[in-house]
Amino acid sequence: MSDIDEEIRREVIAEVYRQVDELDWDGMTPRERSQWYVRWIDDPRIGGKLTRFIERDRVRVWIKDGPIKELPRARYGIGPYAQFAVSRYPGVEQIAHQAIGPAWVADPETVDIKPNRCLVRGPESDVLMIWGPAAKLADLVWAGINARVDGSAEPLIVVTSPQGTRLSGGEMLRQRVLAKQASIELRHITLRLARV
Amino acid sequence: MSTDTTGDLFEEIDLTPSPQLLEALGDIPYKPWQCLAELIDNSFDDFLTDPDRSEAQEVWITLPKPTDDDPIVGLLDNGRGMSPEMLQSALKAGYSGKRRYGSLGLFGMGFNIATARLGHHTEVRTTRAGDPDWLIVEIDLRRLAQNDSFRTPLRREPKRDVSDHGTEVIVRRLRTEIAEDLKKANRHASVRADLGRVYSYLLRGENPIPGVPDGPMAGRGFRLKVNGKTVSPRLPCVWSASRTVTKEGREIAAVRSVDIALASALACMKCGHWQSPDLALDRCAECDGDDMQLRERRIHGWFGVQRYLDESDYGIDFLRNGRKIRIGDRSLFSWENPNDGTQVPEYPVDIPATQGRIVGEVHLDHVPVGYQKTDFNRESRDWRHAVFALRGEGPMRPKKAKTLGYALNASPLGEIFKGYQENRPGAGCLIPGNGSTAIHETARDWGAKFHSGKHPEFLSDEIWYQAVLAHDDNRGNGGATTRPTGNGGADGPSLTGRTGLTPLGGAPAGSSDQTGTAPTPTPISTPEPEPVETEEQRFERYRTDARQIFDLTGEVTLPRLGRKAVTVYETSAPLLDDRERPVPSLARLGKGVNLEVFVYGEHLVFREYGRDPRDYALMEIAQTLHAFEPDGQKVTAVAAEVTRQFPDQRVTESALRDRAGSVLGRVRELMTPIVVPMANELWEAVPEVVRLRAERDAGRADASLDWPTVVKDGAFVAHLDAAGIAAVVRMRPAAFLDGAVFTTSWSGWSDTAVKDRQVAQTVRPLEVVSEFLTDPGAKTRLELSLARITFDMLEQSVAGPV
């Protein structure tokens, strides 16, 4: 990555994120995404700029393992690509407000990833908010158990669903029961992806 | 109701229907996708009237997953949301105050039918940007029925984000059969496909089809997702607007825009009824509403030509407010005789008569539709007017129109019909072919790839067009190549010479005369050998000098032996295998499932032994697949299976009859203008038996024909069979040979014996064809082969493109 001119690298990432936003990337099938990787290689604004610095057959991997892999995190405002995201989910502060209440304040200094987690300071005590989509529930619960073992703040799992995906009552109940087995509280919230 | 004996005291009775009525609405047999469409319509109505489109306008649908034990159906949009008053009005069953003008929703009833069909409990949540709360209404049909009341409370729930806006409908306690159905494997995919078809226009973007200008094809770019997966609009697989055919000296493009302005009319903003401003009514004649506004009306859209023929996948789609109400409608393809109300089918009648390719999308926002939104009201004046405007008042067939006293049909559909009603292979009609026949099945196979969305190379019409050109290129050579030999031919340097790989001591064993290439003496003393040609370069060279055999291009799938995406090239460069031995054909496995096959069209086995290069290509494919054969099956058995994967290659009786129809149609077309000035004398001169057969054919085709007029006008040509054509040509060779209808030369010869032979050579194939067509018995393989060769000869002798 270091062999790409910094200015060009930024332009390319910004362009990929702009197109991803226009293309409705989330609704695409893996095959459709695959076709776009191929098209980007020949896009003068993307592959055209990258091939000045890296081999043509590395362009696809560069896009896939770089900007695209970071896209979910960037949309939460996390990671080195955050500044390029065209659409964002609510920030950590807002997630905490939505999940726990307006009196709670997230500490941005404590944000960590895989899975996303952060210390949220309440009026009387702190919690370790661990959040992510329902598909990553196992990781969220595992992180909660580890937090317990490590003796950090009381873990709280927040299952986030992007706007438009509604979990049925049965699904939500099952997720709460699963977390309860590890004595961890679990809440559900919906997050809206909005243009910045 | 009761009155007392004096008759002047009236009491009122409550006509509010029982909530059980709402539950009964759920018995109307809407399919799941129709229920969803009723809800989607409301969201898209809002999008259509929203002037602020800063964000993508999106609807998300949630359907039950197989593992759900508490399944729901949900719909959420990011529309503007509703105020309490709007919500009240939207939900009021039947007596809806919802505006029907300019909306898809049309009836408040649609919401109730859809939700009641799906389940027993519906929650509606809505909020506008800036509102502090979500407004929530729960409709529990069973509880309402128990209480025998229509009243249900409005709840408010504080919003976390005041900028949030939209409406959500969640149906819970689904009907068992609906839940079971929606949990089935592939059901979500079929729902997405149905919605993608119905909302094609609203879902597609600005320039969805390469080569077709965005004007008529442009959509609205709304987004719709089912369980997170985007619903892709089903795009029309039409030829690019830049493709044309020439008819009567005029170029007719394959896509034609329709934009017909109608007189403005008064629209009732309450019920959607239109009425003429001339009536000077100040209230709606339909619902007595008093909000009437003068609005512009127009019929717009396009007619076009699909890149393939199909038995069911063609016809005109009619839309109201962006939603397709009728898909693949063919009523415009029949002409209704106003005198007796009979329907005269006009399309498709050309061979193959059961398949068509004329398509279109026409917006009829002003024509009323039925409440189930499955059809327009065909009895309405607006529908009938639209039919006239789109397809003209008279028949589209020019002769028929003329006979019945109608002017030439210049309607938008009539124009497309004129250009594309016929299905002859080649550029004359824009139909892909293989040099002798049309390749309808291959073209349709490519259409399936276009629609699958998984093959971007089939989005543009290029491959179909190349197969159109290849047909003309190839015609008259029995399917063998006619392309002039390129630089890889006899004049080119031999490969051994260029590679410098020839062993000392003479020419390699393979460079004999067999390929037709003269061995070039190798300059042994050349100090610097030319660079060695890589395998990739060698195949690139074969491709450069090749034309694709389109009717053998496609997927071959054999159950045990796997799948191959085959591309076949006929090259004019001599082929060498990897040990540099000349071969008539070669196969090369590419990336993934790709298989390239090359056939050297100039090889002696094709040039002098009459073998078809296609047979060798099939053998190559079979041999490649045979390598994966674990059970020791014979390669010929595999070859037979491979051959059967290319139905366009069949030489069946019905395929040959189709071909006969096509070529005889062309001959009659060329004869007509020649016959017209001498119609009477020619008719008198032809044998009685020919006249009788023509008359019988005419009687079968159209019982209302005035036969004496047809004879006088020369229109009898259309009813001559092959033997009849032969008889006419025999009588007047000077009129029909020398390039007029047949290319055979005649007048230049002075010896009458030669002249007679020329005539005999032309009419003999016609007589063989006639025998073939009139003999009802099953044909032997040899008879079919004879017919095929006869067709090749006949087509070769017909002037101009066949």
Side-chain angles (χ1 to χ4, degrees):
Chain A
M1 204 178 287
S2 56
D3 43 7
I4 299 172
D5 177 82
E6 182 55 21
E7 185 60 25
I8 302 282
R9 195 178 74 89
R10 296 172 68 88
E11 283 173 20
V12 171
I13 298 169
E15 179 60 23
V16 170
Y17 279 8
R18 189 190 68 76
Q19 291 200 23
V20 157
D21 210 55
E22 259 181 28
L23 288 171
D24 193 12
W25 189 254
D26 293 344
M28 280 188 188
T29 60
R31 191 193 285 263
E32 285 169 332
R33 290 182 187 178
S34 190
Q35 284 166 12
W36 275 100
Y37 288 128
V38 175
R39 278 192 228 180
W40 281 334
I41 296 173
D42 291 320
D43 188 327
R45 294 161 296 183
I46 298 170
K49 287 182 177 172
L50 290 174
T51 44
R52 286 189 239 158
F53 305 96
I54 57 174
E55 291 289 321
R56 188 181 150 82
D57 53 11
R58 276 184 59 207
V59 167
R60 182 193 164 97
V61 174
W62 187 90
I63 302 172
K64 197 173 174 194
D65 288 354
I68 295 299
K69 201 172 182 181
E70 281 292 324
L71 181 67
R73 274 190 284 276
R75 283 177 166 173
Y76 281 116
I78 299 173
Y81 292 74
Q83 53 183 312
F84 302 107
V86 179
S87 289
R88 290 267 182 92
Y89 288 117
V92 182
E93 189 79 19
Q94 256 180 298
I95 293 177
H97 287 175
Q98 240 176 286
I100 325 176
W104 294 72
V105 183
D107 180 353
E109 297 295 314
T110 61
V111 170
D112 209 345
I113 58 167
K114 291 182 185 178
N116 292 333
R117 52 196 190 273
C118 139
L119 218 51
V120 181
R121 306 194 189 283
E124 281 154 22
S125 62
D126 298 351
V127 296
L128 179 69
M129 184 173 80
I130 308 164
W131 77 96
K136 297 272 183 200
L137 183 67
D139 294 345
L140 304 182
V141 174
W142 184 241
I145 294 170
N146 274 289
R148 268 274 145 69
V149 171
D150 295 343
S152 42
E154 177 67 16
L156 168 74
I157 293 173
V158 179
V159 173
T160 58
S161 308
Q163 185 177 37
T165 54
R166 180 169 274 279
L167 300 171
S168 70
E171 277 176 296
M172 292 200 276
L173 180 65
R174 186 169 180 82
Q175 288 166 6
R176 279 197 296 271
V177 170
L178 281 168
K180 204 174 168 192
Q181 284 296 316
S183 311
I184 303 169
E185 196 188 338
L186 181 146
R187 296 185 183 186
H188 290 94
I189 61 168
T190 301
L191 297 178
R192 188 156 65 99
L193 192 63
R195 288 227 171 105
V196 179
Chain B
M1 194 191 313
S2 68
T3 60
D4 66 9
T5 47
T6 59
D8 58 2
L9 181 63
F10 288 90
E11 294 173 46
E12 276 189 339
I13 59 163
D14 184 3
L15 285 174
T16 309
S18 156
Q20 280 157 333
L21 177 67
L22 280 186
E23 210 164 355
L25 291 179
D27 294 331
I28 296 177
Y30 273 34
K31 295 192 176 81
W33 76 262
Q34 276 181 292
C35 297
L36 296 172
E38 286 294 340
L39 307 180
I40 295 167
D41 279 350
N42 293 325
S43 300
F44 283 173
D45 276 347
D46 179 64
F47 292 169
L48 281 168
T49 53
D50 188 355
D52 173 28
R53 298 194 194 115
S54 53
E55 275 200 270
Q57 295 168 297
E58 191 153 9
V59 171
W60 296 269
I61 305 271
T62 305
L63 295 183
K65 295 181 272 295
T67 50
D68 279 351
D69 43 12
D70 170 32
I72 58 164
V73 169
L75 172 143
L76 170 71
D77 70 38
N78 64 351
R80 286 169 289 182
M82 289 182 269
S83 65
E85 296 73 31
M86 290 156 80
L87 179 61
Q88 155 88 59
S89 140
L91 293 178
K92 230 171 144 184
Y95 312 106
S96 167
K98 186 181 167 96
R99 292 187 155 202
R100 283 169 65 184
Y101 169 74
S103 64
L104 282 166
L106 295 176
F107 307 97
M109 218 55 163
F111 175 84
N112 292 308
I113 296 172
T115 53
R117 178 81 185 149
L118 291 168
H120 303 293
H121 181 280
T122 301
E123 180 180 324
V124 182
R125 305 160 58 86
T126 188
T127 190
R128 297 175 300 176
D131 286 352
D133 302 311
W134 281 94
L135 303 175
I136 301 162
V137 173
E138 288 181 38
I139 306 163
D140 186 333
L141 292 175
R142 287 182 176 164
R143 205 175 58 207
L144 289 176
Q146 275 162 15
N147 299 343
D148 208 17
S149 156
F150 261 112
R151 302 194 70 80
T152 190
L154 177 74
R155 217 153 43 83
R156 287 172 192 266
E157 194 179 285
K159 262 158 70 176
R160 306 271 185 208
D161 178 357
V162 287
S163 70
D164 210 359
H165 54 89
T167 301
E168 183 169 22
V169 178
I170 307 147
V171 184
R172 298 193 174 87
R173 301 217 305 267
L174 301 184
R175 284 175 179 245
T176 318
E177 68 273 19
I178 295 276
E180 292 308 315
D181 182 71
L182 288 172
K183 280 183 183 180
K184 278 185 198 154
N186 287 332
R187 177 58 82 227
H188 294 190
S190 72
V191 166
R192 278 200 304 274
D194 286 329
L195 296 174
R197 205 180 279 264
V198 168
Y199 293 112
S200 169
Y201 164 74
L202 293 174
L203 294 178
R204 65 189 187 229
E206 278 186 358
N207 200 350
I209 303 172
V212 175
D214 55 5
M217 295 287 166
R220 301 298 291 250
F222 295 163
R223 287 180 184 177
L224 176 61
K225 287 201 186 92
V226 173
N227 285 27
K229 282 193 185 158
T230 300
V231 173
S232 304
R234 186 184 159 90
L235 301 175
C237 182
V238 288
W239 286 102
S240 151
S242 63
R243 308 290 184 208
T244 58
V245 297
T246 306
K247 289 280 140 103
E248 292 156 18
R250 251 178 353 104
E251 278 199 317
I252 302 178
V255 174
R256 190 191 159 96
S257 292
V258 175
D259 194 358
I260 303 163
L262 305 173
S264 295
L266 287 170
C268 171
M269 304 313 279
K270 191 175 169 201
C271 76
H273 180 72
W274 292 87
Q275 56 200 25
S276 163
D278 304 338
L279 295 173
L281 298 171
D282 53 358
R283 299 187 82 85
C284 172
E286 190 80 8
C287 72
D288 204 36
D290 60 357
D291 187 5
M292 307 284 290
Q293 293 183 16
L294 195 66
R295 294 291 168 127
E296 205 179 70
R297 297 182 311 164
R298 66 188 183 110
I299 297 170
H300 64 106
W302 56 272
F303 290 122
V305 184
Q306 198 163 257
R307 302 173 198 164
Y308 57 89
L309 271 79
D310 197 272
E311 284 202 352
S312 56
D313 183 13
Y314 72 101
I316 312 302
D317 301 343
F318 290 104
L319 296 83
R320 175 160 168 142
N321 293 315
R323 165 168 170 179
K324 289 192 177 170
I325 301 295
R326 288 289 298 173
I327 293 179
D329 186 283
R330 288 167 215 157
S331 58
L332 259 50
F333 297 151
S334 289
W335 175 69
E336 187 183 333
N337 188 331
N339 298 328
D340 53 16
T342 52
Q343 294 281 337
V344 185
E346 298 200 281
Y347 181 84
V349 291
D350 198 47
I351 305 289
T354 49
Q355 299 181 19
R357 58 170 176 156
I358 295 180
V359 293
E361 286 181 330
V362 177
H363 297 253
L364 298 176
D365 294 348
H366 64 292
V367 181
V369 305
Y371 81 94
Q372 287 200 339
K373 297 181 202 168
T374 50
D375 203 354
F376 286 87
N377 177 358
R378 307 230 174 193
E379 300 308 312
S380 66
R381 198 186 47 184
D382 289 327
W383 171 262
R384 277 178 285 143
H385 180 263
V387 170
F388 280 157
L390 291 167
R391 61 142 289 142
E393 213 172 328
M396 293 191 288
R397 286 176 296 174
K399 281 180 207 153
K400 183 88 185 164
K402 198 176 159 198
T403 315
L404 294 167
Y406 286 94
L408 200 70
N409 191 318
S411 68
L413 186 62
E415 283 288 288
I416 285 285
F417 173 85
K418 186 189 293 170
Y420 299 91
Q421 57 163 315
E422 292 171 291
N423 300 318
R424 278 198 314 275
C429 294
L430 218 52
I431 292 272
N434 62 12
S436 56
T437 55
I439 50 167
H440 296 309
E441 301 219 23
T442 305
R444 189 156 54 243
D445 193 36
W446 294 341
K449 288 194 164 69
F450 170 97
H451 288 300
S452 77
K454 295 173 185 167
H455 302 270
E457 65 274 27
F458 287 92
L459 267 184
S460 93
D461 64 6
E462 198 53 37
I463 188 164
W464 284 267
Y465 192 63
Q466 288 306 320
V468 166
L469 296 181
H471 172 84
D472 289 342
D473 230 20
N474 208 6
R475 196 173 71 83
N477 204 5
T481 187
T482 53
R483 187 170 289 224
T485 307
N487 55 12
D491 300 334
S494 82
L495 185 69
T496 47
R498 273 179 293 112
T499 58
L501 287 175
T502 314
L504 289 173
S511 64
S512 69
D513 268 347
Q514 198 187 352
T515 60
T517 312
T520 314
T522 314
I524 300 169
S525 60
T526 308
E528 283 183 37
E530 287 178 46
V532 176
E533 184 183 47
T534 64
E535 188 187 326
E536 189 46 58
Q537 287 167 337
R538 180 160 61 101
F539 279 95
E540 190 48 51
R541 182 164 53 80
Y542 296 155
R543 279 186 217 105
T544 311
D545 287 322
R547 61 171 193 85
Q548 215 176 317
I549 301 183
F550 287 97
D551 47 310
L552 286 183
T553 295
E555 267 187 17
V556 174
T557 308
L558 298 189
R560 288 163 302 109
L561 309 182
R563 182 167 68 94
K564 290 278 167 276
V566 180
T567 316
V568 179
Y569 297 96
E570 186 174 334
T571 177
S572 52
L575 297 169
L576 298 172
D577 69 6
D578 51 7
R579 289 168 61 189
E580 304 215 353
R581 292 171 300 197
V583 285
S585 55
L586 267 181
R588 188 182 191 229
L589 280 164
K591 278 186 190 164
V593 294
N594 291 325
L595 175 69
E596 283 184 315
V597 176
F598 297 85
V599 188
Y600 172 43
E602 298 290 304
H603 196 280
L604 286 187
V605 78
F606 307 125
R607 222 179 48 193
E608 293 187 5
Y609 289 78
R611 301 289 121 181
D612 187 337
R614 283 179 177 76
D615 290 337
Y616 276 63
L618 290 168
M619 276 195 259
E620 287 291 343
I621 301 168
Q623 198 189 17
T624 308
L625 285 166
H626 189 253
F628 299 95
E629 168 59 85
D631 302 337
Q633 189 181 205
K634 282 171 76 75
V635 70
T636 47
V638 178
E641 283 184 66
V642 169
T643 307
R644 290 179 57 206
Q645 304 244 326
F646 295 99
D648 283 319
Q649 301 289 322
R650 277 178 306 188
V651 191
T652 59
E653 186 173 344
S654 69
L656 287 169
R657 280 183 186 277
D658 281 358
R659 201 171 158 195
S662 172
V663 67
L664 292 178
R666 174 70 183 152
V667 169
R668 292 188 193 103
E669 191 181 301
L670 290 170
M671 286 172 75
T672 305
I674 303 169
V675 167
V676 170
M678 51 166 151
N680 259 331
E681 81 183 274
L682 200 63
W683 183 250
E684 291 304 322
V686 292
E688 173 71 14
V689 57
V690 170
R691 291 203 297 243
L692 276 174
R693 280 205 308 268
E695 192 173 338
R696 272 182 218 143
D697 180 75
R700 274 195 301 271
D702 186 352
S704 65
L705 268 187
D706 179 21
W707 185 239
T709 317
V710 171
V711 168
K712 209 174 107 211
D713 290 350
F716 66 82
V717 173
H719 303 286
L720 288 177
D721 58 11
I725 295 170
V728 170
V729 174
R730 250 184 222 290
M731 285 165 38
R732 295 275 192 282
F736 301 107
L737 302 190
D738 290 316
V741 177
F742 298 96
T743 50
T744 324
S745 60
W746 188 79
S747 58
W749 303 101
S750 51
D751 184 342
T752 51
V754 178
K755 281 188 157 170
D756 289 349
R757 201 181 62 214
Q758 293 293 88
V759 174
Q761 265 182 2
T762 307
V763 298
R764 204 176 301 129
L766 283 165
E767 283 158 357
V768 175
V769 168
S770 167
E771 234 169 80
F772 176 85
L773 293 177
T774 48
D775 178 12
K779 308 285 193 297
T780 65
R781 183 179 68 85
L782 289 176
E783 283 173 313
L784 292 173
S785 297
L786 173 66
R788 187 175 66 83
I789 293 167
T790 310
F791 284 131
D792 287 347
M793 287 169 61
L794 184 60
E795 276 176 2
Q796 208 175 350
S797 70
V798 175
V802 176

